[in-house]
Amino acid sequence: MANRYWVVSLPVQKSASTLWNSLQDRISKHSFDTPLYRFNIPNLRVGTLDSLLALSDDLFKSNTFIEGVSQKIRRQIEELERVSGLESNALTVDGVPIDSYLTRFVWDEAKYPTMSPLREIVDGIHTLVAKIEDDLKVRVAEYNNVRSQLNAINRKQSGSLAVRDLSNMVKPEDIITSEHLVTLLAVVPKYSQKDWLSSYETLTTYVVPRSSKKLYEDNEYALYTVTLFGRVADNFRTSARERGFQIRDFEYSPEAQESRKQELEKLVQEQDSLRSSLLQWCYTSYGEVFSSWMHFCAVRIFAESILRYGLPPSFLACVLSPSTKGEKKVRSILEGLCDSTNSTYWKTEDEGGAMAGLGGDADTYPYVSFTINIA
C-alpha cells in the first residue's frame, strides 16, 4: 500500500475516454511503476461562481483539519496496538482497505445527496469529523486517567523504599502494638546501616533494646523495624530525620491490604476494557473519517476544476501514486496533456491565490492537483 497519493484533474478537450487512454498510454511508457486510477466524481450541484469562490477559501483549512483528525486516530491506533502487543490490522472503510477505498472511490449518494449545495456537504463533513474528534478526546482522557492511576500504584510498588508501598513486606509478627508500645518502620540508606544499628537505641528514651530488625533491602535503602513507647514516637521521628533516617507512616491492616489488591485488580480490568473498546472505536471512527475525507476531496477536485476550467464541468479526475524518483516525469506527462492557454496557473499563497499549495503542494501546475497522505 502506498502512503501518498496525488489527486489530479485534467481539462477534457475531446472526450474523457480519449484523455484517459492517452494518460494511461504515457504513464505505461514513461513511468510504468506509477499506479493510476480513475477518481469517479458524480455530477454535483455547481451553484453560483460566488458560492464556489467563497467555498474555495475554506477548503484548504477544512482539509488540514480533517487530515489532522485522521492522523490523530491513526496514531492512537498504533499506540494502543503497541501497548497491547497486537499486530497492526489493516485500516478499512466498512471492511474495504483504505487504499482500495481511495483508488476505487464510489460516491455515497444516500449519505451525501448530489443535489445538496456543495457548502452543505462540506459543512456536514466538517461537523461529523469535529464530533468524532471531540469523542476521541473524551475517550482518550478516560483511558489515560485509569492508566495514570495504575502507573501511580505501580510506582509505589516498584519504586525505592522511600516511596513504595510497604504492605507486602511487613508481616503481622513484625509489628508490636499494645497500650504503651508501638513499632515504627525506618528507611535507612544502605551505607548508613551500621550507623543505624549503633544509634537507634539512643535516638530518644524508652526505645526497646535490640528491637530493630531488617525486613527488606533494595539498591538504595534498607527497611528496619524499631519498637518503642508510643509517647516518645514523635521525638524518635525528629531525631531519626536529623540523622538521615526516614520513618515511614505505616499501619498494618489486612483489610486495607486486601482492599488495595482488589482496587488494583479492578483498575487493571478497567484499563484492559477501556483499551479494547477505544481501539475498536478508533478502527470504526477512522473508517468514518477517511470516507468523509474522500468525499471532501471529491468536492474539492470538483470545485477547483470548475474554477480552473470553467463551465460546463468537463474534466478527468484521477489518482496516482508515483515514486519519489518518478515525480518529475509524471508531472511532465500531466502537463503535456493540458492546454495551458485555457488554464490559469494558480498563484502562490503569498500572491493571494485562494487555493495555492492546496493539500501540501508548494508548486503550481496548469492542472488541479493535491496530495493525500494516508500514513
Side-chain angles (χ1 to χ4, degrees):
M1 182 182 75
N3 293 328
R4 190 170 57 91
Y5 292 87
W6 292 350
V7 181
V8 304
S9 82
L10 302 170
V12 172
Q13 305 302 325
K14 296 177 182 178
S15 72
S17 59
T18 300
L19 179 57
W20 173 246
N21 291 335
S22 297
L23 178 58
Q24 283 184 308
D25 183 58
R26 297 190 188 190
I27 290 290
S28 64
K29 284 183 179 177
H30 303 292
S31 186
F32 62 88
D33 61 343
T34 297
L36 173 66
Y37 311 91
R38 287 287 287 268
F39 193 69
N40 296 307
I41 301 174
N43 293 320
L44 299 173
R45 185 174 170 182
V46 176
T48 64
L49 180 60
D50 285 346
S51 67
L52 280 179
L53 286 170
L55 181 65
S56 71
D57 290 337
D58 297 331
L59 286 175
F60 176 70
K61 289 181 182 177
S62 290
N63 180 77
T64 302
F65 169 70
I66 296 168
E67 183 177 11
V69 173
S70 75
Q71 290 174 347
K72 279 183 189 176
I73 298 175
R74 190 184 188 101
R75 286 195 297 268
Q76 188 63 59
I77 288 172
E78 291 170 351
E79 168 66 13
L80 292 169
E81 288 178 337
R82 183 187 64 78
V83 172
S84 303
L86 299 173
E87 290 187 17
S88 296
N89 286 330
L91 297 174
T92 63
V93 179
D94 294 329
V96 179
I98 56 173
D99 55 329
S100 298
Y101 185 85
L102 166 58
T103 55
R104 297 169 178 80
F105 175 73
V106 177
W107 185 272
D108 187 345
E109 173 70 21
K111 199 170 185 179
Y112 304 105
T114 52
M115 289 308 296
S116 299
L118 296 183
R119 167 64 68 181
E120 186 178 306
I121 294 174
V122 168
D123 287 350
I125 290 172
H126 195 284
T127 300
L128 172 67
V129 175
K131 182 181 182 304
I132 289 175
E133 184 189 37
D134 289 342
D135 287 350
L136 175 66
K137 290 176 181 176
V138 171
R139 289 170 180 270
V140 169
E142 185 181 14
Y143 169 64
N144 284 339
N145 179 48
V146 174
R147 283 184 70 193
S148 296
Q149 292 180 56
L150 265 177
N151 287 338
I153 292 173
N154 288 332
R155 278 196 298 272
K156 286 184 177 180
Q157 292 185 334
S158 60
S160 73
L161 286 170
V163 296
R164 71 185 294 178
D165 181 14
L166 304 178
S167 56
N168 291 331
M169 304 173 196
V170 183
K171 299 174 183 175
E173 57 266 27
D174 298 325
I175 302 295
I176 296 174
T177 304
S178 68
E179 183 180 353
H180 300 292
L181 294 176
V182 64
T183 298
L184 302 180
L185 297 178
V187 177
V188 179
K190 285 184 73 172
Y191 60 82
S192 300
Q193 291 184 75
K194 287 185 178 179
D195 184 24
W196 164 260
L197 292 172
S198 64
S199 65
Y200 77 88
E201 294 178 1
T202 59
L203 291 178
T204 187
T205 55
Y206 301 110
V207 176
V208 177
R210 295 186 295 279
S211 64
S212 185
K213 182 175 71 169
K214 182 159 71 171
L215 302 182
Y216 188 85
E217 185 176 307
D218 63 16
N219 293 331
E220 300 176 73
Y221 300 98
L223 180 66
Y224 282 87
T225 60
V226 59
T227 302
L228 61 157
F229 276 68
R231 58 193 172 91
V232 297
D234 288 341
N235 291 339
F236 188 89
R237 292 174 193 275
T238 301
S239 298
R241 186 168 58 248
E242 290 172 354
R243 296 291 292 265
F245 309 132
Q246 177 188 353
I247 304 302
R248 290 284 306 273
D249 290 326
F250 181 83
E251 181 178 348
Y252 186 81
S253 168
E255 295 80 10
Q257 191 171 343
E258 182 61 27
S259 176
R260 282 193 292 268
K261 181 181 177 183
Q262 290 177 359
E263 180 190 4
L264 177 60
E265 291 174 351
K266 181 182 176 183
L267 281 173
V268 169
Q269 290 175 358
E270 188 176 356
Q271 177 186 247
D272 292 344
S273 175
L274 285 172
R275 182 192 297 140
S276 177
S277 63
L278 176 58
L279 183 58
Q280 193 57 50
W281 180 89
C282 284
Y283 283 139
T284 302
S285 296
Y286 185 87
E288 283 190 55
V289 171
F290 192 83
S291 173
S292 300
W293 188 18
M294 293 308 100
H295 284 80
F296 177 86
C297 288
V299 173
R300 284 179 69 194
I301 207 85
F302 180 82
E304 283 312 303
S305 297
I306 299 298
L307 290 173
R308 178 67 68 87
Y309 311 130
L311 289 169
S314 183
F315 61 89
L316 171 72
C318 57
V319 175
L320 308 94
S321 181
S323 62
T324 303
K325 64 179 181 179
E327 287 185 7
K328 286 186 178 179
K329 173 57 69 176
V330 174
R331 291 289 185 200
S332 176
I333 292 170
L334 294 171
E335 207 163 312
L337 291 170
C338 291
D339 181 0
S340 59
T341 59
N342 294 329
S343 179
T344 304
Y345 278 72
W346 283 349
K347 295 177 182 179
T348 64
E349 198 165 7
D350 292 339
E351 295 170 334
M355 303 310 295
L358 193 62
D361 291 321
D363 299 322
T364 55
Y365 311 102
Y367 52 87
V368 177
S369 172
F370 55 85
T371 301
I372 293 177
N373 296 299
I374 62 173

